[in-house]
Amino acid sequence: MDCVICRCEEVLLSDIVRAIEDGYTSHREIKLKTRAGMGICQGRTCRLLLDQVIASVSQGPVPKTIGIAPNVPIRPIMLGDLAKGGGKAK
Amino acid sequence: MSMYMKAGIRMTSAEIVVIGAGVIGTSIAFRLAESGRQVMMIDRNGIGAATSSACDKAIFLQSKRPGLHMDLARESRNMYNTLEEELGQSVEFKGAGGTVAIHTEQQMLFMKKFVHDQTQAGINVSLLNQKEAKEQQPILADDIIGASYSPDDAEVNPLKLSQGFATAAKRLGVEIMTHTEAIGIEKSNGKVTGVKTSKGVISTETVINACGPFASSIARFSGVPMNIKPRRGVILISEKVDPIVNGSLLDAQYIAAKHLSGQQPEYGIGLSLGQTDSGNLLIGGSREFVGFNKHVHSDVLHAIAYHACKVVPALTNIRIIRSMVGFRPFTGDGLPIIDRSEQLRGYILAAGHEGDGIALSPITGCLVRDLLNGGGPTSRFLPHLTSDRFKEKTLL
Amino acid sequence: MRIEQHPILGPLNNETVTFTFNGDVYEGRKGESIAAALLANEIRTLRYTAQKNEPRGIYCGIGHCYECRVMIGTKRSVRACITEVVEGMKIQSQGG
Amino acid sequence: MRMDVAIIGSGPAGINAAITLAKKQKSVVVIDEQGKVGGKLIGQLHEDPKDGWWIGKQIAEQMKREAEQVGVIFLLQREVWAIEPGWSIKMSGHEDITASYVIVATGAQENPTPVPGWTLPGTLAIGAAQVLNNYERVRPGKRIAIIGVDPLAFTVAQELKLAGADIVGIYLPPEGLFATEKAKPQSTIGYLSTMAHLAPNPWLRLAGSMAKHHFIQKMGSRFYPKAGMKVFGVPLRLRHSIISIEGTDQVEAITTVKLSSEGKAVKNSEESIVVDAVCISGGLVPLVELASSCKTVYIEELGGYVPLHSPEMKTSKKNLYVCGNITGVEGAKVAMEQGKLAALSIVYKMTGDEQLREEVRSQKEEVNRIRAEATITFMPEIMSGRKKMEQMWNEYVHESRDTHDIR
């Protein structure tokens, strides 16, 4: 039975399986292809699930990706808050 | 079960090997396959996984300098009109026009001349007063003094673009090997004989280096030196919001950062704003020479955010969910190198589009096709895109 | 839904606050989260998704999944699960 | 604001670290994105065989009072979005905090188990149900089903029951991609046996003694009553799994299926059961994102990726320390002792005081003692996980002694 995997971007298990079968095999490729992990939670909820799907479809070990690119901001903050540190040099 | 999962290469020879599966490599692979060539495309990561997925989505014509740059961009822009039909899928292309916001009298002076030159060159672009600018782009700050507008500017989803080219190329028989890194070029008697990869050797007489900012590392083991250096660009991605941007938006500081070398703003900040079909805003950006350093100090993010809020105050309450770091292939004159190597036969370079990879992706496939096949509608551009134009001045 | 009597935790704080959700007026308890206040009023659906228009409510409860995001005035994507409801608060469902 | 130490996370680890530091006359700030202090502690409620009722909310309030008395500054409802060397803590609202030392005590997050229909309002991560029920005092539902068989599921089931909810059962997750072993009765009984010392739980004691050996595990799964057994009045259904959650605008029912002793779904055994809430328990995973600049290692027994750290809680980054569930999933009492240990290590490093060296040493022992005594073990192999970490740290120190300042 099909099931939502990425809740933010409404990506289904079948979407991910299809992408893997089409040759998009890594975490990043699946993200770029299906948008899984691109939403407001940035993969916090689906990251580990994606690893499991990859392992299952490719019949390999669960990829032990940390899945955490050191990507700031680590929390979604308002652009206005981010702007407060700017403009010093001007 | 996917064939890409297994290690090792099924095909061990190819007529042409394209290294790099970004918006440039995939476009080349597609056009070559279309012209009957047998092509293999390799990428150390995945389709469009590097620079082509860390860029904005605008196809701007009015930001280009009149002359060769403009002619290339215009021709490429026209190719977009039929591209989705050719690829058999949507790349979220929209001819929704583009606006350049003008904030200061100094910018106005610069933009007046810029727009004048562009109009002379036959570009459909006009200057808007404050009221017209706000009508065109209601989210602009009240203190803008005007804008320039072109209905010919357009936009596309870069992720869909490389995926679209790749899918269409595959349909035409191109074999795509992802997670396959080129680690050497095999040569004999001054000719290419193969590409050494992390998964084995592919014998070929023609190899195309379409590695964008990473082209230099391939060039190094080909023995053919080149001058492309990475210029880092950072873009902020917002949460999904209802459509608020009409087409694409730049500000005059962006144009200045692009074209004026003397008065660069700090971190090369200039606003570029676009919105994807999914509702996320892409808020750019910076231009910096920091090598391949992916770590972005918060000062850069602050500067981008500060500038964006100044030009578009409506963005203030929108949340930023992440930042994108891309390395643009910088040549120095804003134009790519599409050229055969003189020293090594069969080695072709197709890289160096800097921030125009998205705009010039369609035409680059045709340029390389015409370079290899001879003749063709784009061959008139090729003499201007050779690598020996840099012979006098070394950038690195 | 409120646990007025609890064998271990004793009686409940009875100080109330009044707030609105999508224009309707509700009563909550002082100090509780927006999510708790809405659930106590039997409201589980906080928003509908952008693409498929599916209902969503609180899921992780610790501010990670953002499923419970709501608008408070002009402030977007406020997490109902970790934000305290206060007197006079105007809460709106957020699209997307 | 310039501080000696900034602590991210006000859970039991972070807050105890803060109290310890403040008592040693260090200036310390605790930052949390929640409005209340205590992290996951606030929802906890269980009967401890030795100490009676453990009421997380009260313990958190008490610790907060103590912390404030000794001068700890709390910055709540601040989202930390970056930590830059120096240390500069970047927060929403753009308040500037610089600190000589940082302790990242961000705890753990839940690992979801996706089930068709799990996005319907009314389906909650089990930790969310716990906080709503015990802290907010709002029942997540009147009739509740629980997916996943693990210590947290048992604990929360009992807590929901205490608050008057009707628990229709604790079920196995659906068989498939995400719960291969967890979805099998046999391996679940094996897993339960590792929690045999879970004292407040009679069924587990039984399962524990029954399931020590593989053969008996097999027998157990075969003879496990199809109707389930009741554990403090909650049906534990090891021979049923939930295959979907139904409803239009919110949860209205679950569909269950019977399982063979091998864990295969029995044909035509689907049954629909009316519920208004479903809790999913999929285990906990350390939340390392704010410490992602440190070297991290994967240790299954600790819950996944964790920052590489010394037995004194220091990481590969100079003056960055960790404590609590970010270092491996354990109970609140262990987290508190780890917090104190991280704090003492920092004070020792700051002062070089020999007496502190002794305090650090004895606090390390205290952590181990509390760990050994824990009544709830989330990760059955936690001890071997901790040993692996110590080995990895020693290797790291050995490898990097010429290049790094790992003091």
Side-chain angles (χ1 to χ4, degrees), chain B residues 56 58 60 63 99-102 140 248-252 254-255 271-273 311:
Chain B
D56 65 35
F60 259 95
S63 66
T99 312
V100 178
I102 301 167
L140 283 172
S248 298
L249 174 65
L250 298 180
D251 80 325
Y254 179 100
I255 307 280
L271 177 73
S272 72
L273 181 65
V311 182

Side-chain angles (χ1 to χ4, degrees), chain D residues 1-224:
Chain D
M1 204 186 328
R2 168 105 215 157
M3 308 295 288
D4 291 329
V5 188
I7 299 173
I8 328 277
S10 74
I15 190 169
N16 212 32
I19 291 171
T20 309
L21 284 159
K23 282 182 177 168
K24 300 276 184 194
Q25 276 74 51
K26 304 299 168 211
S27 59
V28 49
V29 59
V30 178
I31 306 160
D32 201 298
E33 64 180 329
Q34 302 225 21
K36 37 211 160 217
V37 165
K40 278 284 188 186
L41 182 59
I42 61 170
Q44 293 179 3
L45 177 67
H46 56 260
E47 199 172 5
D48 193 287
K50 285 194 309 250
D51 309 330
W53 282 94
W54 172 270
I55 302 171
K57 183 180 177 178
Q58 288 173 9
I59 296 162
E61 281 164 3
Q62 207 177 307
M63 289 180 85
K64 187 189 180 205
R65 271 197 304 275
E66 188 185 350
E68 279 169 344
Q69 273 162 16
V70 291
V72 172
I73 298 169
F74 286 97
L75 291 178
L76 304 177
Q77 284 181 293
R78 265 76 160 189
E79 294 151 283
V80 174
W81 57 268
I83 302 176
E84 294 183 336
W87 293 97
S88 168
I89 316 290
K90 312 300 263 180
M91 287 179 285
S92 56
H94 194 66
E95 288 156 301
D96 264 333
I97 293 263
T98 51
S100 311
Y101 292 79
V102 172
I103 300 179
V104 182
T106 44
Q109 71 172 107
E110 286 187 56
N111 191 14
T113 305
V115 176
W118 72 310
T119 54
L120 279 170
T123 304
L124 302 170
I126 197 138
Q130 189 178 36
V131 170
L132 283 169
N133 193 73
N134 301 338
Y135 184 87
E136 307 283 12
R137 301 278 295 269
V138 182
R139 235 187 326 268
K142 292 185 187 81
R143 270 172 70 79
I144 305 173
I146 295 175
I147 303 179
V149 180
D150 57 39
L152 200 55
F154 288 127
T155 311
V156 177
Q158 192 182 16
E159 293 162 3
L160 293 169
K161 187 99 183 153
L162 266 178
D166 177 10
I167 311 292
V168 300
I170 300 176
Y171 293 85
L172 291 177
E175 197 203 357
L177 271 175
F178 302 105
T180 39
E181 284 307 305
K182 280 188 234 156
K184 288 187 187 134
Q186 192 180 316
S187 45
T188 304
I189 289 185
Y191 169 62
L192 291 181
S193 71
T194 63
M195 305 187 294
H197 55 295
L198 248 185
N201 190 325
W203 193 84
L204 282 175
R205 277 204 299 273
L206 172 70
S209 50
M210 181 172 84
K212 284 262 158 64
H213 305 284
H214 189 68
F215 170 74
I216 301 178
Q217 272 181 43
K218 237 181 184 158
M219 298 296 284
S221 66
R222 186 162 312 150
F223 294 120
Y224 188 82

Side-chain angles (χ1 to χ4, degrees), chain A residues 9 20 22-23 25-26 28-29 32-33 35 38-39 42 58 71-73 76-80 82 85 87 89, chain B residues 2 4-5 46 48-49 53 159 163 170 179 240 266 278 280 301-302 305-306 309 315-316 318-323:
Chain A
E9 293 291 331
I20 297 172
D22 281 348
T25 56
S26 67
R28 174 150 177 87
E29 288 169 280
L32 296 176
K33 178 68 182 172
R35 299 189 59 84
M38 273 196 187
Q42 284 292 294
S58 66
N71 189 319
V72 280
I77 57 160
M78 288 195 292
L79 190 76
L82 199 53
Chain B
S2 155
Y4 303 94
M5 297 306 291
S53 53
L159 307 180
Q163 286 160 10
K170 209 151 62 167
H179 307 284
K240 295 170 196 287
E266 198 182 12
S278 51
N280 304 90
L301 304 180
H302 286 315
Y306 176 81
C309 286
L315 301 177
T316 306
I318 292 173
R319 287 184 188 263
I320 300 305
I321 62 174
R322 68 188 185 100
S323 55

Side-chain angles (χ1 to χ4, degrees), chain A residues 1-7 13 17 44-50 52-53 56-57 62 64-77 81-82 84-86 88, chain D residues 33 79-84 91-94 96 109-120 123 177-179 243-244 285 287-290 292-293 296 298 300 305:
Chain A
M1 213 184 305
D2 214 349
C3 177
V4 170
I5 298 300
C6 170
R7 299 172 68 114
L13 175 61
V17 170
R44 267 178 201 96
T45 316
C46 69
R47 188 184 289 148
L48 293 164
L49 302 177
L50 278 184
Q52 285 168 276
V53 183
S56 173
V57 177
V62 177
K64 293 185 171 66
T65 48
I66 190 157
I68 299 167
N71 189 319
V72 280
I74 279 168
R75 280 285 181 272
I77 57 160
D81 275 356
L82 199 53
K84 281 177 197 160
K88 281 179 248 170
Chain D
E33 64 180 329
E79 294 151 283
V80 174
W81 57 268
I83 302 176
E84 294 183 336
M91 287 179 285
S92 56
H94 194 66
D96 264 333
Q109 71 172 107
E110 286 187 56
N111 191 14
T113 305
V115 176
W118 72 310
T119 54
L120 279 170
T123 304
L177 271 175
F178 302 105
I243 56 166
S244 65
V285 194
L287 182 62
V288 291
E289 52 195 11
L290 275 173
S292 61
S293 66
T296 51
Y298 187 88
E300 187 97 51
Y305 269 100

Side-chain angles (χ1 to χ4, degrees), chain B residues 222-244:
Chain B
S222 71
V224 182
M226 58 174 300
N227 286 325
I228 289 178
K229 56 176 182 170
R231 193 178 206 183
R232 187 174 78 177
V234 179
I235 293 171
L236 307 176
I237 315 290
S238 84
E239 61 179 326
K240 295 170 196 287
V241 289
D242 291 340
I244 55 166

Side-chain angles (χ1 to χ4, degrees), chain B residues 4-202:
Chain B
Y4 303 94
M5 297 306 291
K6 303 280 178 244
I9 282 179
R10 294 187 311 146
M11 196 199 279
T12 52
S13 70
E15 188 187 353
I16 299 169
V17 175
V18 177
I19 308 174
V23 289
I24 301 302
T26 55
S27 169
I28 294 168
F30 172 69
R31 291 299 172 197
L32 287 174
E34 197 186 41
S35 75
R37 301 288 196 138
Q38 189 234 334
V39 181
M40 190 158 174
M41 177 162 59
I42 64 171
D43 194 286
R44 63 174 170 176
N45 293 312
I47 292 158
T51 302
S52 304
S53 53
C55 54
D56 65 35
K57 61 193 293 274
I59 304 165
F60 259 95
L61 270 187
Q62 61 164 317
S63 66
K64 311 291 183 280
R65 259 184 211 291
L68 187 67
H69 200 179
M70 175 71 80
D71 295 342
L72 266 176
R74 182 157 40 189
E75 191 105 353
S76 198
R77 163 66 184 80
N78 290 339
M79 289 176 178
Y80 267 113
N81 291 336
T82 52
L83 187 65
E84 289 181 321
E85 206 176 311
E86 286 179 86
L87 299 180
Q89 70 183 82
S90 164
V91 293
E92 293 176 14
F93 172 76
K94 283 192 279 287
T99 312
V100 178
I102 301 167
H103 260 267
T104 64
E105 288 300 337
Q106 198 188 359
Q107 285 172 354
M108 184 57 101
L109 278 175
F110 172 78
M111 288 304 291
K112 265 185 182 155
K113 167 135 189 14
F114 202 71
V115 168
H116 172 80
D117 291 350
Q118 286 171 320
T119 314
Q120 293 286 300
I123 294 295
N124 188 359
V125 58
S126 49
L127 267 183
L128 308 181
N129 65 27
Q130 190 198 39
K131 186 166 166 283
E132 292 162 335
K134 287 279 284 182
E135 273 164 17
Q136 173 56 34
Q137 209 58 273
I139 51 167
L140 283 172
D142 291 336
D143 65 353
I144 53 155
I145 59 173
S148 66
Y149 173 76
S150 169
D152 293 337
D153 293 334
E155 56 197 303
V156 68
N157 181 333
L159 307 180
K160 294 265 166 83
L161 184 61
S162 42
Q163 286 160 10
F165 271 127
T167 307
K170 209 151 62 167
R171 210 180 297 130
L172 295 174
V174 173
E175 184 174 357
I176 304 171
M177 299 288 308
T178 53
H179 307 284
T180 305
E181 185 170 4
I183 52 175
I185 306 271
E186 308 218 313
K187 306 160 249 199
S188 171
N189 300 325
K191 282 192 340 199
V192 170
T193 60
V195 177
K196 207 189 276 174
T197 81
S198 53
K199 290 187 181 166
V201 175
I202 309 162

Side-chain angles (χ1 to χ4, degrees), chain D residues 377-388:
Chain D
T377 307
F378 293 92
M379 308 303 294
E381 303 296 327
I382 189 78
M383 295 290 194
S384 79
R386 294 290 174 196
K387 274 202 193 83
K388 275 190 191 171

